[in-house]
Amino acid sequence: MGDIGEQFPPHVLREYALLADGERGALVGPRGDIAWLCAPRWDSDGVFSSLIGGAGTYAVTPVGRFVWGGYYEDGSLIWRSRWITETGIVECREALAFPGDPGRVVLLRRIIAVQGDAQVHVVLAPAAEFGQQRLRELHRDDAGCWTGRVGALRMRWTGGGDAAPHTDGHRGRQLSATVSVPAGAHHDLVLELGDTTCALEGDAPDPERLWTATRTAWRETMPELGDSIAPRDARHSYAVLRGLTSSGGGMVAAATMSLPERAAQGRNYDYRYVWIRDQCYAGQAVATDAPHPLLDDAVGFVAARLLDHGPQLAPAYTVTGDPVPDERSLELPGYPGGTDVLGNHVNAQFQLDAFGEALLLFAAAARHDHLDTEHLKAATAAVSAIEQRWRDPDAGVWELDDQRWAHSRLICAAGLRAMSAQVPAGDAARWSALADTIVADTANDCLHPNGRWQRAPHDQRVDAALLLPALRGALPADDPRSIATLAAVAHDLGEDGYIYRFRQDPRPLGHAEGAFTLCGFWMALACHQQGDPAGAVRWFERNRAACGPPGLFSEEYDVTQRQLRGNLPQAFVHALMLESAVQLTGPATHRDSTGVRP
């Protein structure tokens, strides 16, 4: 069989599609290779980790020469890999059974002979603990069902009864088969992986029932989102956010870890955790349309963490609400240009703006009458934390060195103002007064001589995050500081229709890092707020295109090479894409155009 890693080397990120069920996610590449899947949950060890140089893959690949394509079934994360071969067309319909069971992975793959007979190679070689634990105790029953163990996980595979077992050269086993499907017919493969809480005994699952249940569940969970300027893409972003959100309400920041933002720069992180800020972005985005379930998920998860930890709120948690582990290396090669990093140093940071974002989230829920007594207690806890800590240096939105970042303080002021409109007069007056004090303090040490906001007291640079205070209501859109900041961001950080976070150094913007698609959508919202609909749409459309064929956004976009950089998919980008798509259909709050153009 040869080395699996050599047979299925990594692809550029724009070619990967995401399968997700809320509890975990998989990436499937253009050769039908599952290059990434952690099981049983997001932050578990990898079972298929060839993406970062680990062992293990699961591939369904056409025999002979072919070219690749694919698409998502509307309003779902059901992906159809589509290959044009020399003799016809073959598809593989792929999904994680939805909604997911926290203890049991069910990966569905249906090989469809769309035109002509289809013939595909199938390879199944799971390897738990990022490749350290190989498939063992392999057994085939009389019905052609394979069972085995891989690390602490139990495995069952149906539909591959004719597969041949092989040694993998590492004291483990793997299975391979050539599957032939007559024209117009299909063949199902169902892979199950269960932890110790999940028994895989009994009759094998019926693929037809699983497919029907999955399609029905996606249909029932998806809102129409028709009142937007890009309904299909808005629905896709909602599907991505739903796929990243667990049954406990926590939404991971991305499905992956260790994908480099810049080659050989040491900037690759583990994002398989719930960032409070990112989840607040997602909840606020959903609320711009209607109080869909993802809003309640965000409110519930964030409120629980605030009630548990108050002013000691961590920036991120696991989906079960536990601490994020410390960083460590797995001693794997990593994705080309990167290394391998498990865990995240964010667990040692303080991020002040998370309290302001939580209040903005709660205020959005309150406007839809989706804030209960416990949530109000959490809002009060967030206000108390701001009262105690707003003068403290923090790591800021970009998670850098501790400073008194202007963005952090102003977002707290925005949250206080938004939430003061939802509480009794006494609290409202006190919270509004605190917001006034914070804005005045920030203006005292972070107002640039040119009249715009600057990053920090001793850092005069422009920062795209400073578009947010006006967007979120810390101060009016027509305040001269808001208008000056928007103009400065467009002039200093805009390039070819994209926006960078801030200038890292004197080099050209794209030499230091990629453009931040998140910031591009902020720019679209800011132009819309200022009464420049044409500019808003241009920024929106440019950044909406910063994805690959599966429509997934990463954190950064390499403008020159038109490539995705960083972990995939990045939830907060999908959140702001969704918010922009909805907001840009409505009226702006301030009609005096600044003339800003991409």
Side-chain angles (χ1 to χ4, degrees):
M1 286 294 294
D3 184 79
I4 292 295
E6 294 178 0
Q7 293 180 54
F8 299 101
H11 312 283
V12 292
L13 296 181
R14 64 185 296 115
E15 294 183 336
Y16 282 106
L18 170 74
L19 313 178
D21 63 5
E23 307 301 337
R24 77 283 298 172
L27 293 188
V28 56
R31 289 186 294 271
D33 49 319
I34 303 291
W36 183 256
L37 173 66
C38 295
R41 68 181 194 187
W42 293 108
D43 58 340
S44 299
D45 288 351
V47 176
F48 303 125
S49 57
S50 61
L51 185 70
I52 61 170
T57 196
Y58 179 22
V60 174
T61 310
V63 173
R65 298 174 68 240
F66 62 87
V67 292
W68 165 83
Y71 60 97
Y72 282 105
E73 296 181 12
D74 183 46
S76 77
L77 292 184
I78 299 173
W79 173 253
R80 285 181 179 256
S81 295
R82 183 177 175 89
W83 301 285
I84 311 300
T85 72
E86 293 180 311
T87 58
I89 301 173
V90 57
E91 290 187 353
C92 188
R93 190 186 192 204
E94 327 210 40
L96 287 167
F98 180 77
D101 179 333
R104 176 172 170 251
V105 182
V106 182
L107 178 54
L108 309 176
R109 311 192 81 173
R110 172 170 285 181
I111 303 159
I112 306 168
V114 177
Q115 181 179 309
D117 297 342
Q119 194 172 47
V120 299
H121 288 308
V122 180
V123 176
L124 176 61
E129 298 179 19
F130 296 102
Q132 297 302 308
Q133 298 293 329
R134 306 300 179 105
L135 179 60
R136 67 188 194 280
E137 299 178 25
L138 189 61
H139 173 74
R140 179 187 182 278
D141 67 16
D142 294 338
C145 176
W146 290 97
T147 57
R149 288 182 177 270
V150 53
L153 299 171
R154 300 176 182 180
M155 184 203 82
R156 179 165 62 179
W157 189 45
T158 55
D162 294 332
H166 308 269
T167 58
D168 65 1
H170 299 275
R171 299 181 181 179
R173 310 297 297 280
Q174 60 190 39
L175 293 162
S176 67
T178 299
V179 176
S180 298
V181 183
H186 67 262
H187 181 86
D188 284 299
L189 302 170
V190 180
L191 175 66
E192 300 170 86
L193 297 167
D195 63 14
T196 55
T197 69
C198 178
L200 298 181
E201 290 81 14
D203 294 337
D206 176 11
E208 197 64 48
R209 293 182 63 183
L210 288 170
W211 277 116
T212 299
T214 295
R215 181 63 245 182
T216 299
W218 275 113
R219 187 177 298 117
E220 291 175 347
T221 200
M222 284 299 303
E224 283 299 321
L225 297 170
D227 189 18
S228 75
I229 65 171
R232 184 167 177 261
D233 282 359
R235 283 167 57 80
H236 181 49
S237 281
Y238 189 100
V240 170
L241 296 174
R242 175 60 187 89
L244 298 177
T245 302
S246 72
S247 55
M251 181 198 74
V252 294
T256 58
M257 55 177 272
S258 300
L259 301 185
E261 296 170 358
R262 298 292 283 179
Q265 296 297 308
R267 286 169 49 187
N268 39 188
Y269 306 100
D270 187 351
Y271 280 0
R272 302 169 301 152
Y273 310 107
V274 183
W275 261 254
I276 296 296
R277 177 192 304 108
D278 297 22
Q279 182 122 40
C280 291
Y281 286 173
Q284 292 173 68
V286 169
T288 60
D289 184 69
H292 303 303
L294 287 182
L295 172 61
D296 294 332
D297 289 333
V299 169
F301 189 90
V302 172
R305 306 290 82 75
L306 275 164
L307 291 172
D308 285 345
H309 301 123
Q312 304 307 316
L313 179 74
Y317 296 85
T318 69
V319 292
T320 56
D322 295 315
V324 170
D326 292 337
E327 285 189 352
R328 64 182 175 90
S329 171
L330 298 169
E331 300 183 358
L332 294 174
Y335 186 84
T339 56
D340 63 318
V341 177
L342 185 148
N344 199 294
H345 68 273
V346 73
N347 59 10
Q349 290 184 355
F350 166 55
Q351 294 178 14
L352 175 65
D353 68 300
F355 297 107
E357 293 293 350
L359 291 176
L360 288 165
L361 171 67
F362 296 151
R367 289 192 291 270
H368 289 291
D369 197 24
H370 274 237
L371 208 66
D372 65 22
T373 303
E374 288 299 298
H375 302 151
L376 284 169
K377 290 179 181 177
T380 301
V383 173
S384 177
I386 292 172
E387 289 174 327
Q388 295 177 50
R389 306 200 65 177
W390 72 267
R391 294 180 179 84
D392 295 349
D394 78 300
V397 63
W398 306 130
E399 300 180 354
L400 304 171
D401 56 310
D402 285 355
Q403 294 198 48
R404 298 190 71 229
W405 298 105
H407 164 268
S408 295
R409 285 180 278 168
L410 293 174
I411 285 299
C412 285
L416 289 163
R417 294 200 198 286
M419 200 59 207
S420 66
Q422 308 298 329
V423 295
D427 287 337
R430 182 168 59 87
W431 296 359
S432 294
L434 178 58
D436 291 341
T437 299
I438 293 173
V439 171
D441 179 82
T442 309
N444 185 56
D445 61 10
C446 286
L447 192 62
H448 190 271
N450 290 345
R452 61 165 173 84
W453 295 110
Q454 65 182 45
R455 304 186 72 213
H458 303 293
D459 187 341
Q460 292 193 337
R461 287 175 291 174
V462 181
D463 193 319
L466 290 169
L467 295 172
L468 272 180
L471 285 172
R472 301 308 188 212
L475 63 162
D478 58 0
D479 186 295
R481 295 167 292 188
S482 301
I483 296 171
T485 300
L486 173 58
V489 170
H491 181 269
D492 289 10
L493 303 179
E495 185 175 279
D496 198 22
Y498 300 98
I499 295 289
Y500 293 79
R501 296 185 298 170
F502 54 88
R503 286 193 175 274
Q504 304 267 354
D505 50 47
R507 293 179 294 167
L509 286 166
H511 289 203
E513 66 177 8
F516 262 61
T517 318
L518 170 76
C519 300
F521 289 124
W522 283 345
M523 193 68 182
L525 288 169
C527 286
H528 176 72
Q529 184 185 49
Q530 293 291 342
D532 180 10
V537 170
R538 281 195 288 269
W539 288 105
F540 174 81
E541 293 295 349
R542 190 66 162 151
N543 286 269
R544 178 162 74 120
C547 60
L552 302 177
F553 296 106
S554 63
E555 188 170 37
E556 295 185 18
Y557 184 69
D558 187 318
V559 177
T560 300
Q561 298 185 45
R562 293 183 169 91
Q563 296 289 356
L564 309 185
R565 306 295 185 203
N567 285 289
L568 188 76
Q570 194 75 31
F572 62 38
V573 182
H574 284 275
L576 266 297
M577 186 276 163
L578 171 59
E579 181 178 348
S580 299
V582 175
Q583 290 281 46
L584 266 56
T585 63
T589 57
H590 176 241
R591 291 292 180 181
D592 294 333
S593 174
T594 62
V596 175
R597 292 290 186 269

